[in-house]
Coordinates of all heavy atoms in Angstrom, one line a residue:
A280 N 12.5 28.5 106.9 CA 11.1 28.1 106.7 C 10.2 29.3 107.2 O 10.6 30.1 108.0 CB 10.7 26.9 107.5
N281 N 9.0 29.3 106.6 CA 8.0 30.2 107.1 C 7.1 29.5 108.2 O 6.4 28.5 107.8 CB 7.1 30.7 106.0 CG 6.0 31.7 106.5 OD1 6.0 32.1 107.6 ND2 5.0 31.9 105.6
N282 N 7.3 29.8 109.4 CA 6.5 29.1 110.5 C 5.1 29.7 110.6 O 5.0 30.9 110.9 CB 7.3 29.3 111.8 CG 8.3 28.2 112.1 OD1 7.9 27.0 112.3 ND2 9.6 28.5 112.0
I283 N 4.1 28.9 110.4 CA 2.7 29.4 110.6 C 2.4 29.2 112.1 O 2.2 28.0 112.5 CB 1.8 28.6 109.7 CG1 2.3 28.6 108.2 CG2 0.4 29.2 109.7 CD1 2.5 29.9 107.6
L284 N 2.2 30.3 112.8 CA 2.0 30.2 114.2 C 0.5 30.0 114.5 O -0.3 30.9 114.1 CB 2.5 31.4 115.0 CG 4.0 31.7 114.9 CD1 4.3 32.9 115.7 CD2 4.8 30.5 115.4
I285 N 0.1 28.9 115.1 CA -1.3 28.7 115.5 C -1.5 29.1 117.0 O -0.9 28.5 117.9 CB -1.7 27.2 115.3 CG1 -1.4 26.8 113.9 CG2 -3.2 27.0 115.6 CD1 -2.0 27.5 112.8
T286 N -2.3 30.2 117.2 CA -2.4 30.7 118.5 C -3.3 29.8 119.4 O -3.0 29.7 120.6 CB -3.0 32.1 118.5 OG1 -2.2 32.9 117.6 CG2 -3.1 32.8 119.8
N287 N -4.4 29.3 118.9 CA -5.3 28.4 119.7 C -5.6 27.1 119.0 O -6.6 27.0 118.3 CB -6.6 29.2 120.0 CG -7.5 28.4 120.9 OD1 -7.1 27.4 121.5 ND2 -8.8 28.8 120.9
P288 N -4.7 26.1 119.1 CA -4.9 24.9 118.4 C -6.1 24.1 119.0 O -6.5 23.1 118.4 CB -3.6 24.1 118.7 CG -3.0 24.7 119.9 CD -3.4 26.1 119.9
R289 N -6.6 24.5 120.2 CA -7.8 23.8 120.7 C -9.0 24.0 119.9 O -9.9 23.2 119.9 CB -8.0 24.2 122.1 CG -6.9 23.7 123.1 CD -7.2 24.2 124.5 NE -6.2 23.7 125.5 CZ -5.0 24.2 125.7 NH1 -4.7 25.3 124.9 NH2 -4.2 23.7 126.5
D290 N -9.0 25.2 119.2 CA -10.1 25.5 118.3 C -9.8 24.8 116.9 O -9.3 25.4 116.0 CB -10.2 27.0 118.1 CG -11.4 27.4 117.2 OD1 -12.1 26.5 116.6 OD2 -11.6 28.6 117.1
I291 N -10.2 23.5 116.9 CA -9.8 22.6 115.7 C -10.4 23.2 114.4 O -9.8 23.1 113.4 CB -10.2 21.2 116.0 CG1 -9.4 20.6 117.1 CG2 -10.1 20.3 114.7 CD1 -7.9 20.5 116.8
K292 N -11.7 23.7 114.5 CA -12.3 24.2 113.3 C -11.5 25.3 112.7 O -11.3 25.4 111.5 CB -13.7 24.7 113.6 CG -14.7 23.5 114.0 CD -14.9 22.6 112.9 CE -15.9 21.5 113.3 NZ -16.1 20.4 112.2
S293 N -11.1 26.3 113.5 CA -10.3 27.4 113.0 C -8.9 26.9 112.6 O -8.3 27.5 111.6 CB -10.2 28.5 114.1 OG -11.4 29.0 114.4
F294 N -8.4 26.0 113.3 CA -7.0 25.4 113.0 C -7.1 24.8 111.6 O -6.2 25.1 110.7 CB -6.7 24.4 114.0 CG -5.3 23.8 113.9 CD1 -4.4 24.3 112.9 CD2 -4.9 22.7 114.6 CE1 -3.1 23.7 112.8 CE2 -3.7 22.1 114.5 CZ -2.8 22.6 113.6
V295 N -8.1 24.0 111.3 CA -8.2 23.3 110.0 C -8.4 24.4 108.9 O -7.9 24.3 107.8 CB -9.3 22.3 110.0 CG1 -9.6 21.8 108.6 CG2 -9.0 21.1 110.9
K296 N -9.2 25.4 109.2 CA -9.4 26.5 108.3 C -8.1 27.1 107.9 O -7.9 27.5 106.7 CB -10.4 27.5 108.9 CG -10.9 28.6 107.9 CD -11.9 29.5 108.6 CE -12.3 30.6 107.7 NZ -13.3 31.5 108.3
E297 N -7.2 27.3 108.9 CA -5.9 27.9 108.6 C -5.1 27.0 107.8 O -4.4 27.4 106.8 CB -5.2 28.2 109.9 CG -3.9 28.9 109.7 CD -4.0 30.3 109.1 OE1 -5.0 31.0 109.2 OE2 -3.0 30.8 108.6
L298 N -5.1 25.7 108.1 CA -4.4 24.7 107.3 C -4.7 24.7 105.8 O -3.9 24.5 105.0 CB -4.6 23.3 107.9 CG -3.9 23.0 109.2 CD1 -4.3 21.6 109.7 CD2 -2.4 23.1 109.1
K299 N -6.0 24.9 105.5 CA -6.4 24.9 104.1 C -5.8 26.0 103.3 O -5.8 26.0 102.1 CB -8.0 25.0 104.1 CG -8.7 23.8 104.5 CD -10.2 24.0 104.4 CE -11.0 22.8 104.8 NZ -12.5 23.1 104.8
K300 N -5.3 27.1 104.0 CA -4.7 28.2 103.3 C -3.3 28.0 102.8 O -2.8 28.8 102.0 CB -4.7 29.5 104.2 CG -6.1 29.9 104.7 CD -6.0 31.1 105.7 CE -7.3 31.5 106.2 NZ -7.2 32.6 107.2
H301 N -2.7 26.9 103.3 CA -1.3 26.7 103.0 C -1.0 25.3 102.4 O -1.6 24.3 102.8 CB -0.5 26.8 104.3 CG -0.7 28.1 105.1 ND1 -0.1 29.3 104.7 CD2 -1.5 28.3 106.1 CE1 -0.6 30.2 105.6 NE2 -1.4 29.6 106.4
K302 N 0.0 25.3 101.5 CA 0.5 24.0 101.0 C 1.7 23.7 101.9 O 2.9 23.8 101.5 CB 0.9 24.1 99.5 CG -0.3 24.2 98.6 CD 0.2 24.2 97.1 CE -1.0 24.3 96.2 NZ -0.6 24.2 94.8
F303 N 1.4 23.3 103.2 CA 2.5 23.1 104.2 C 3.3 21.9 103.9 O 2.9 20.9 103.4 CB 1.9 23.1 105.6 CG 0.8 22.1 105.8 CD1 1.1 20.8 106.4 CD2 -0.5 22.4 105.5 CE1 0.1 19.9 106.6 CE2 -1.5 21.4 105.7 CZ -1.2 20.2 106.3
T304 N 4.6 22.0 104.2 CA 5.6 20.9 104.0 C 6.0 20.2 105.2 O 6.5 19.1 105.2 CB 6.8 21.5 103.3 OG1 7.4 22.4 104.2 CG2 6.5 22.2 102.0
F305 N 5.7 20.8 106.4 CA 6.1 20.2 107.7 C 5.0 20.5 108.7 O 4.5 21.6 108.8 CB 7.4 20.8 108.1 CG 7.8 20.4 109.5 CD1 8.4 19.2 109.8 CD2 7.6 21.3 110.6 CE1 8.8 18.8 111.1 CE2 7.9 20.9 111.9 CZ 8.5 19.7 112.2
I306 N 4.8 19.6 109.6 CA 3.9 19.8 110.7 C 4.4 19.0 111.9 O 4.8 17.8 111.7 CB 2.4 19.4 110.4 CG1 1.5 19.8 111.5 CG2 2.2 18.0 110.0 CD1 0.0 19.7 111.2
S307 N 4.3 19.6 113.1 CA 4.7 18.9 114.3 C 3.6 18.9 115.3 O 2.7 19.8 115.2 CB 6.0 19.6 114.9 OG 5.7 20.9 115.2
G308 N 3.6 17.9 116.2 CA 2.5 17.9 117.1 C 2.6 16.7 118.1 O 3.6 15.9 118.0
V309 N 1.6 16.5 118.9 CA 1.6 15.4 119.8 C 0.4 14.5 119.4 O -0.5 14.9 118.6 CB 1.4 15.8 121.3 CG1 2.6 16.6 121.7 CG2 0.1 16.6 121.5
N310 N 0.4 13.3 119.9 CA -0.7 12.3 119.5 C -2.1 12.9 119.6 O -2.9 12.7 118.7 CB -0.5 11.0 120.4 CG -1.5 9.9 120.0 OD1 -1.2 9.2 119.1 ND2 -2.6 9.8 120.7
T311 N -2.3 13.6 120.7 CA -3.7 14.1 121.0 C -4.1 15.1 119.9 O -5.2 15.1 119.4 CB -3.7 14.9 122.3 OG1 -3.2 14.0 123.3 CG2 -5.1 15.3 122.7
L312 N -3.1 16.0 119.5 CA -3.4 16.9 118.4 C -3.7 16.3 117.1 O -4.7 16.6 116.4 CB -2.3 17.9 118.3 CG -2.4 19.0 117.3 CD1 -3.6 20.0 117.7 CD2 -1.1 19.8 117.1
F313 N -2.9 15.3 116.7 CA -3.1 14.6 115.4 C -4.4 13.9 115.4 O -5.1 13.9 114.4 CB -1.9 13.7 115.2 CG -0.6 14.3 114.8 CD1 0.5 14.1 115.6 CD2 -0.5 15.2 113.8 CE1 1.7 14.7 115.3 CE2 0.7 15.8 113.4 CZ 1.8 15.5 114.2
N314 N -4.7 13.3 116.5 CA -6.0 12.6 116.6 C -7.2 13.5 116.4 O -8.2 13.2 115.8 CB -6.1 11.8 117.9 CG -7.1 10.7 117.9 OD1 -7.5 10.2 116.9 ND2 -7.7 10.4 119.1
K315 N -7.1 14.7 117.1 CA -8.2 15.7 117.0 C -8.4 16.2 115.5 O -9.5 16.4 115.1 CB -8.0 16.8 118.0 CG -8.3 16.4 119.4 CD -8.1 17.6 120.3 CE -8.5 17.2 121.8 NZ -8.3 18.3 122.7
L316 N -7.3 16.4 114.9 CA -7.3 16.8 113.5 C -8.0 15.7 112.6 O -8.8 16.0 111.7 CB -5.9 17.1 112.9 CG -5.3 18.4 113.4 CD1 -3.8 18.4 112.9 CD2 -6.0 19.6 112.9
L317 N -7.6 14.5 112.9 CA -8.1 13.4 112.0 C -9.6 13.2 112.1 O -10.3 12.7 111.2 CB -7.4 12.1 112.4 CG -5.9 12.0 112.0 CD1 -5.3 10.8 112.7 CD2 -5.7 11.9 110.5
I318 N -10.2 13.5 113.3 CA -11.6 13.3 113.4 C -12.5 14.5 113.0 O -13.7 14.4 113.0 CB -12.0 12.9 114.9 CG1 -11.6 14.1 115.8 CG2 -11.3 11.6 115.3 CD1 -12.0 13.8 117.3

Side-chain angles (χ1 to χ4, degrees):
N281 180 11
N282 272 290
I283 312 299
L284 301 180
I285 308 300
T286 304
N287 182 16
R289 290 178 177 82
D290 184 353
I291 294 295
K292 294 295 181 185
S293 296
F294 184 10
V295 172
K296 186 177 180 181
E297 183 66 24
L298 287 176
K299 288 181 180 179
K300 299 176 183 178
H301 307 281
K302 292 185 178 181
F303 54 96
T304 61
F305 171 83
I306 185 170
S307 57
V309 296
N310 184 83
T311 308
L312 180 67
F313 288 122
N314 197 26
K315 287 183 177 180
L316 286 173
L317 290 170
I318 62 178

